[in-house]
Amino acid sequence: MQTGLNMSKSDSGLILSGSRISPREAALIERLKTLKMKSGSHSPSMTSIQEQIPEIEVKIDACFLSNPYATDLFMDFFQREVIATGRFRSLIECYPSQNRVISELLAPCLNTSAENIFIGNGAIEIIQAVVHRFAGKRMLVNLPTFSSYYEFATESMEVMFNVLDKEDNFRLDLQACLKKIRDERIDSVVLINPNNPDGSYLRQKDVRDFVRELKHLKSVIIDESFIHFAAEDDSFELKSTVALVNECPNLAVIKSMSKDFGIAGLRAGYAVMSADRVRALLSNGYLWNSSGLSEYFFRLYVRPDFRAEYEKVRVRYIKETQGFLETLKSIPGMRVYPSQANFVLAELLSGECSDDFVNRLLVTHGVYVRTCSDKIGLKGQFIRVASRNWKENEGIIAGLRYCLEQ
Amino acid sequence: MQTGLNMSKSDSGLILSGSRISPREAALIERLKTLKMKSGSHSPSMTSIQEQIPEIEVKIDACFLSNPYATDLFMDFFQREVIATGRFRSLIECYPSQNRVISELLAPCLNTSAENIFIGNGAIEIIQAVVHRFAGKRMLVNLPTFSSYYEFATESMEVMFNVLDKEDNFRLDLQACLKKIRDERIDSVVLINPNNPDGSYLRQKDVRDFVRELKHLKSVIIDESFIHFAAEDDSFELKSTVALVNECPNLAVIKSMSKDFGIAGLRAGYAVMSADRVRALLSNGYLWNSSGLSEYFFRLYVRPDFRAEYEKVRVRYIKETQGFLETLKSIPGMRVYPSQANFVLAELLSGECSDDFVNRLLVTHGVYVRTCSDKIGLKGQFIRVASRNWKENEGIIAGLRYCLEQ
């Protein structure tokens, strides 16, 4: 049995809550519950767990939504160009460039103008800025969703939910959604594509048609933070609705770099939106919101040599992820929903609460998956499982099989 | 002659605009002017200059307001603990901790509660948040000042200026200021101590009395970003008004870490304010506004071993800076104003425009000082000169002497 515990061999297996866990494991689970309660709407980070409950060895962080091969690639460049050369001192010591300087670098790669690009300290800063500044009074958010979209709503806003149906695989019915927008006098709408946390994907053509129908709204927000993982066909071509911004000035396309490039610690993201909106944001804020290291990332991101290497690890990761998802579907005891992202939403069929299952998997196997019990629109039996590298994916599969069999 | 130019020896010295500069130097100065025009309210960074005008070798960046010995110290720890151990991968790959986790670390060092601490992506993010969210309709800002305080005002705010008198060494007369606040029905006030860009300092006792007189205002913002460099006496004791927050819930004390710790590229700052205000900010934003590296910095900042070493380089730097300022005062051709910060404001007495002087100093000596021509309240003859390490300070003095003699 693989174990995530520094426990003595003499710990005897006991049946607690219907599962084979030792009293020590049960005690650790209690401590995890306390930590989770203190962590708000997002799972406690691996660092927090390791610091506060060092007895638990987190072996595989399958909460963490990133392409680990892209991190390897970035670290290769970083080691060669920043560490080996001593350049990191200037990245740490000096002020980074201002927003507009980085936008100008990015513009050719995004096939848009610098004046349409806003650089964020992670996509999360942009979500906050766009929701606070450009959303209207009645904003529609599909459920389940990334919670910041409703948590960041201001007091003067009303958030309306469009609940996606699990029986329909959380597919967003765009026609029904348009009707709801009309009927309920919605003035702003959020669309995450592929959606987080279920991974459901809308084809680009359909999204474009949808956005064009909504030119009268105050804001249409499309979050493409996971779009690098989506593949409409075997060409694995990168898709984006960025080009629509010229035609639809109410559109903001938001993109995190944390997921596809595996660099969440650097905090890098961007949005493409109307030049007026970018100007409005920059006119009284966001002066030095990049760091030296995130600026280094953006300067790397636009380089053809890096992009060519990145494209290889992107396609490799998508293919491995597709294989991983197929295997997950074959594990008895859970229902896996279709996904075009680098994670899946799965429903536990035993009736066990997802919080308990997640803690059990972590304590017995060192595999950390995301409970969705805190997500509006998902009852207590949902977990989100990220695809990691092929070896970790094998560990995730083994852990899930073991815990679901009990 | 020390030169910042890769110029051929055969370039002959010519008298242009009354100064000994070559035609090539004159051409570089023209390019600098264009770059400055494109950089908005803040000087172009060293990186921008080096990228866009590589012919200029910036040898000493005396725009840059930081303690270089503190950077050396930070880099020592960073090299040992992050680079040598390979730990930088996890700082780059993983999500940083959320705001509250870092506040809890800091609380004991700041002698306040975690719920009173807000962590920022640099002080600049906090200035934006506090001005946008907690300032009232009529905000008083002393002039000269750090421009973001008025640039970040929202459309619904009116910024009132209290112009400090150069004949009185830019000293803020607190009694006159209180009268102005009463007479002009000011509801929010900003105080930078020591002030940027002139370095004038108000003693802690006077600041406390002032803040206590203003409990009826909506907001009192005290920016202590340079307070680590101030010394009221030979004990060099660290001062702060943080403790007043409990008594005055309208007070926000803002602190950049870029200056005293020399880590501007990491983006780290904090504010201490009422728990209600911190909660209001965190309730709908600022989720992951630290980076992995800024979190590492904060974790280091609270460690007694680091603090003990830091205290040594802080006092060393203050003493050297005091000597540097005394020498600057002895240079003919400029008037140096009293400063308790790590920079001085100086007025050129020849009548030469500060933009021209700064460009001439950069192109002929590779010494980059800050023109203040874009600062409201300072006419065209002011420059701001930062104190660097002792060797660089010698270079700054030599360059200034040369250019002022002409």
Side-chain angles (χ1 to χ4, degrees), chain A residues 51 64 72 89 93 292 299, chain B residues 51 64 72 89 93 299:
Chain A
E51 251 180 31
F64 188 40
D72 294 343
R89 180 177 172 122
E93 185 172 24
R299 288 178 183 273
Chain B
E51 252 179 31
F64 187 41
D72 293 344
R89 180 179 172 121
E93 184 173 25
R299 289 178 182 274

Side-chain angles (χ1 to χ4, degrees), chain A residues 339-355:
Chain A
S339 171
Q340 285 264 15
N342 64 334
F343 53 81
V344 290
L345 186 69
E347 188 176 6
L348 307 171
L349 302 177
S350 68
E352 182 178 5
C353 153
S354 61
D355 284 7

Side-chain angles (χ1 to χ4, degrees), chain A residues 301-371:
Chain A
Y301 170 76
V302 301
R303 273 167 46 185
D305 57 336
F306 178 77
R307 294 176 79 81
E309 292 297 316
Y310 169 68
E311 190 55 20
K312 289 181 206 158
V313 298
R314 185 179 75 87
V315 173
R316 174 189 172 184
Y317 179 61
I318 294 176
K319 288 179 177 170
E320 286 184 13
T321 297
Q322 288 176 342
F324 174 59
L325 304 194
E326 285 310 308
T327 309
L328 290 180
K329 281 184 196 163
S330 72
I331 299 178
M334 66 178 185
R335 178 178 171 188
V336 169
Y337 291 88
S339 171
Q340 285 264 15
N342 64 334
F343 53 81
V344 290
L345 186 69
E347 188 176 6
L348 307 171
L349 302 177
S350 68
E352 182 178 5
C353 153
S354 61
D355 284 7
D356 293 341
F357 179 84
V358 162
N359 290 342
R360 196 157 59 87
L361 182 63
L362 175 56
V363 165
T364 60
H365 284 72
V367 173
Y368 191 33
V369 302
R370 173 77 159 83
T371 176

Side-chain angles (χ1 to χ4, degrees), chain A residues 51 64 72 75 88-89 92-95 121 128 132 151 259 265 267 284 286 288-289 292 299, chain B residues 51 64 72 75 88-89 92-95 121 128 132 151 259 263 265 267 284 286 288-289 292 299:
Chain A
E51 251 180 31
F64 188 40
D72 294 343
M75 292 311 301
F88 55 85
R89 180 177 172 122
I92 285 172
E93 185 172 24
C94 302
Y95 276 84
N121 181 41
Q128 178 180 342
H132 285 198
E151 287 169 353
K259 284 79 183 174
R267 317 306 304 125
N284 66 358
Y286 306 99
W288 288 295
N289 62 342
R299 288 178 183 273
Chain B
E51 252 179 31
F64 187 41
D72 293 344
M75 292 311 301
F88 55 85
R89 180 179 172 121
I92 284 172
E93 184 173 25
C94 302
Y95 276 84
N121 181 42
Q128 178 181 344
H132 285 197
E151 288 169 353
K259 285 79 183 175
I263 49 148
R267 318 306 303 125
N284 65 359
Y286 307 100
W288 287 294
N289 62 342
R299 289 178 182 274

